[in-house]
């Protein structure tokens, strides 16, 4: 029986900066334990000497000319941000 | 016959000749959507004003400049970005997000004269197979509204099946176009990885994601793929392979076609009525001259877990872009930047999304990376090699699209693990990058069943040819859900 404690949930959620309620931790603890249990069948596979597959269709050195193009307007893009000032995105205090 | 019960190909002929106007088609489409939406909720946003305006503009165009989809209405899954039109990914995180550019597939549709009718419902960030994880509420199956339409492209399948639109775009990371197509009794194609540009498709798992095409007939599907496929400077994984006119492949001639039927695809875990429907379909193909043989796929049982590990690992990286600062949902309760990240994601993402990100982070962590992520990638190689060996001797691999018909609403709670038997059938096409198509092949308890055809890389033509020959020999695609007759 695989366990994945509430502390484990918080430990990994912290890396990706996801806040969780107590109820979330409980819920994910059980669900992720089930997931880990279910993927443990991968241990049965003999992968000796097998190369990992990173791309389903291998393509090598896809290049194009490095030419400037008309790209998106800065003002238009900035309009998507919640808070902005003088052409910069404003964020809450860092310290 | 009403305008909205016509296929894209039929509409297209009328529109080109000027026998109906784009405006008339658009008005009829919007009216049908209004009738059905209360029952099935396929759309997140119906683009009434934009579509009407666009139809009026198209009607001014000279007859000789009209594209292949001139005036044809299409619905778009809401994870494909549309300039100046909200694209939510069915998430609170992007509830008010208005993209500033179009996905390449959208640009191509516009150039061909298609009319975007609106954005279709889905599982949040395409994570699910029931469309129940949408922040905007679930979509219902037009064949029976007690059932889900499948997912994650559930809105895309339901809208086409209900006759709201003749065509739609979905996306398929682990069956998300084919499974809802099967559950809703329509045709769904996941083309070869790289066939359609992913530029503007919100990334879930980048080595698996592909935009897919959905329609009521094989011919319409082939037409739609012909329009949106092709190389794109904005997606380095898009293929430079020439794009044929896929409709030219629909010759009806499949004599001598070599078909492989993997034994596990008709074995344990698949409903017996579904096995019977697919066996019947195989005998139809044999009567048309195909040669069908059973084959083994030694590593197929590991496909679902390989997929869970790889898709979640890629997702945890892709979804890190949602920080609430540059665009999207933004928490009101943060005193500093650190809190802003934590609370934005806590409040903005739904449970399934959070669960997969956390599991993906676990699988990619230093202690588990080798044993889970890298091991899954190696198993992926073995699964791909199994299929390579089969395709050395055979032209297509056939099986059911899904192990069951549509689930009852709330039956699975959107739980990933419940779907294991379906994933064995669905995810290999994504893991191996191969094209796969679902075509209607029967009914069980008045719910549709789909047959899946998987092909050689970049050989969508053969899949369309076989599916079309089968479709023409059967009547399943002619049946429509009672919702279409207003019952």
């Amino acid at each position: 029986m695989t366990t994945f404690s509430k502390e484990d949930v918080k430990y990994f959620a912290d890396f990706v900066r996801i806040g969780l309620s107590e109820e979330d931790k409980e819920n994910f603890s059980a669900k992720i334990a089930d997931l880990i249990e279910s993927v443990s069948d991968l241990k049965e596979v003999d992968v000796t000497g097998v190369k990992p597959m990173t791309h389903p269709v291998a393509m090598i050195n896809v290049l194009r000319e490095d030419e400037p193009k008309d790209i998106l307007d800065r003002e238009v893009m900035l309009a998507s941000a919640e808070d902005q000032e003088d052409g910069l995105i404003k964020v809450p205090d860092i310290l | 016959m009403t305008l909205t019960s016509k296929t894209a190909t039929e509409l297209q002929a009328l529109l080109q000749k000027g026998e109906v106007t784009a405006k008339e088609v658009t008005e009829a489409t919007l009216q049908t959507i209004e009738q059905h939406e209360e029952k099935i909720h396929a759309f997140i946003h119906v683009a009434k004003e934009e579509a009407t305006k666009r139809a009026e503009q198209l009607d001014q165009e000279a007859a000789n400049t009209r594209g292949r989809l001139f005036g044809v209405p299409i619905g778009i899954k809401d994870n494909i970005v549309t300039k100046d039109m909200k694209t939510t990914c069915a998430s609170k995180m992007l509830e008010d997000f208005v993209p500033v550019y179009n996905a390449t597939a959208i640009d191509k549709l516009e150039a061909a004269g298609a009319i975007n009718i609106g954005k279709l419902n889905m599982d949040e960030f395409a994570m699910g197979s029931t469309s129940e994880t949408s922040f905007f509420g679930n979509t219902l199956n037009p064949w029976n509204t007690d059932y889900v339409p499948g997912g994650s492209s559930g809105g895309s399948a339901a809208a086409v099946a209900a006759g709201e639109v003749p065509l739609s775009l979905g996306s398929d990371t682990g069956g998300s176009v084919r499974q809802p197509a099967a559950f809703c009794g329509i045709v769904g194609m996941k083309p070869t990885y790289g066939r359609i540009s992913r530029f503007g498709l919100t990334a879930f798992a980048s080595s698996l994601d592909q935009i897919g095409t959905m329609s009521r007939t094989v011919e319409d599907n082939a037409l739609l793929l012909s329009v949106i496929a092709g190389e794109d400077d904005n997606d380095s994984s898009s293929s430079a392979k020439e794009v044929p006119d896929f409709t030219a492949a629909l010759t009806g001639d499949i004599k001598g076609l070599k078909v492989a039927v993997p034994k596990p695809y008709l074995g344990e875990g698949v409903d017996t009525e579904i096995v019977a429907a697919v066996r019947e379909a195989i005998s139809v193909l044999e009567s048309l001259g195909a040669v069908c043989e059973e084959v083994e796929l030694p590593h197929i049982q590991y496909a679902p877990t390989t997929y869970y590990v790889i898709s979640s690992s890629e997702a945890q990286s892709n979804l890190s872009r949602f920080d609430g600062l540059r665009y999207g949902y933004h928490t009101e309760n943060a005193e500093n930047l650190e809190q802003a990240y934590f609370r934005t994601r806590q409040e903005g993402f739904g449970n399934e999304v959070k669960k997969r990100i956390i599991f993906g982070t676990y699988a990619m962590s230093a202690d588990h990376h080798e044993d889970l992520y890298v091991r899954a990638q190696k198993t992926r190689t073995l699964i791909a090699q199994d299929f390579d060996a089969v395709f050395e001797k055979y032209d297509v691999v056939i099986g059911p699209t899904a192990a069951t018909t549509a689930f009852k609403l709330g039956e699975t709670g959107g739980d990933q693990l419940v779907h294991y038997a379906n994933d064995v059938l669905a995810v290999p096409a994504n893991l191996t990058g191969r094209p796969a198509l679902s075509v209607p092949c029967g009914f069980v308890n008045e719910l549709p069943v789909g047959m899946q055809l998987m092909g050689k890389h970049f050989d969508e033509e053969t899949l369309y040819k076989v599916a079309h020959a089968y479709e023409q020999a059967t009547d399943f695609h002619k049946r429509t859900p009672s919702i279409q007759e207003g019952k």
Side-chain angles (χ1 to χ4, degrees), chain A:
Chain A
M1 179 69 192
T2 310
T3 56
F4 195 77
S5 68
K6 289 202 293 183
E7 289 69 34
D8 291 331
V9 175
K10 186 181 180 313
Y11 178 77
F12 288 102
D14 278 355
F15 284 118
V16 278
R17 296 190 168 86
I18 295 181
L20 298 170
S21 66
E22 276 308 305
E23 194 192 333
D24 287 340
K25 285 181 210 163
E26 193 118 2
N27 176 18
F28 294 140
S29 154
K31 287 202 160 154
I32 295 173
D34 283 351
L35 252 178
I36 294 169
E37 177 79 31
S38 85
V39 299
S40 65
D41 68 346
L42 285 177
K43 289 188 189 128
E44 300 163 9
V45 186
D46 182 2
V47 293
T48 323
V50 179
K51 283 194 177 148
M53 184 171 176
T54 51
H55 295 89
V57 178
M59 295 173 82
I60 301 163
N61 295 342
V62 178
L63 301 170
R64 62 171 155 84
E65 291 305 312
D66 187 19
E67 288 165 346
K69 284 187 181 174
D70 276 340
I71 56 158
L72 300 167
D73 184 79
R74 182 183 173 131
E75 292 292 312
V76 172
M77 282 196 286
L78 275 171
S80 300
E82 178 79 12
D83 207 358
Q84 45 175 304
E85 201 174 295
D86 299 333
L88 299 170
I89 294 172
K90 215 171 149 184
V91 303
D93 292 345
I94 289 174
L95 295 174

Side-chain angles (χ1 to χ4, degrees), chain B residues 220-278:
Chain B
D220 274 8
N221 209 290
L223 170 64
L224 178 55
L225 183 62
S226 302
V227 167
I228 65 168
E231 190 182 16
D232 178 15
D233 272 357
N234 285 330
D235 174 7
S236 63
S237 68
S238 66
S239 172
K241 283 235 169 20
E242 204 185 318
V243 179
D245 178 357
F246 293 106
T247 60
L250 312 180
T251 59
D253 179 14
I254 60 163
K255 262 198 193 73
L257 180 92
K258 288 187 220 140
V259 177
V261 185
K263 283 182 196 158
Y265 281 12
L266 297 175
E268 207 182 324
V270 183
D271 280 2
T272 50
E273 294 101 327
I274 295 213
V275 172
V278 173

Side-chain angles (χ1 to χ4, degrees), chain B residues 112-144:
Chain B
I115 298 176
N116 175 5
I117 289 291
K119 305 303 291 287
L120 293 158
N121 201 15
M122 54 186 276
D123 281 295
E124 184 180 4
F125 284 105
M127 295 180 184
S129 42
T130 63
S131 301
E132 290 170 298
T133 69
S134 168
F135 175 66
F136 303 100
N138 46 261
T139 293
L140 300 169
N141 193 314
W143 290 89
N144 185 334

Side-chain angles (χ1 to χ4, degrees), chain B residues 284-302:
Chain B
V284 171
L285 293 176
E286 283 174 333
S287 73
L288 295 170
V291 181
C292 304
E293 289 173 353
E294 292 202 341
V295 296
E296 300 285 352
L297 288 167
H299 298 91
I300 196 73
Q301 76 265 36
Y302 302 109

Side-chain angles (χ1 to χ4, degrees), chain B residues 155-171:
Chain B
S156 302
V160 170
E164 293 185 328
V165 280
L167 302 174
S168 67
L169 292 190
S171 69

Side-chain angles (χ1 to χ4, degrees), chain B residues 58-73:
Chain B
L58 282 171
D59 282 328
Q60 305 303 313
E61 258 186 37
N64 59 353
T65 60
R66 293 177 172 180
R68 290 191 78 183
L69 289 177
F70 177 82
V72 176

Side-chain angles (χ1 to χ4, degrees), chain B residues 9-78:
Chain B
T9 308
E10 289 164 348
L11 278 178
Q12 171 58 14
L14 294 173
L15 284 153
Q16 294 285 3
K17 283 185 269 176
E19 286 177 19
V20 290
T21 64
K23 192 164 182 205
E24 283 164 348
V25 172
T26 304
E27 278 173 355
T29 301
L30 290 168
Q31 214 170 24
T32 307
I33 291 172
E34 207 173 294
Q35 273 168 22
H36 296 338
E37 270 306 276
E38 203 179 307
K39 291 178 203 145
I40 62 166
H41 185 236
F43 282 86
I44 290 177
H45 169 67
V46 180
K48 198 172 175 180
E49 281 166 31
E50 297 96 321
T52 306
K53 205 169 133 201
R54 166 120 169 106
E56 285 168 356
Q57 282 166 354
L58 282 171
D59 282 328
Q60 305 303 313
E61 258 186 37
N64 59 353
T65 60
R66 293 177 172 180
R68 290 191 78 183
L69 289 177
F70 177 82
V72 176
I74 184 164
I76 309 294
K77 187 176 182 180
D78 210 18

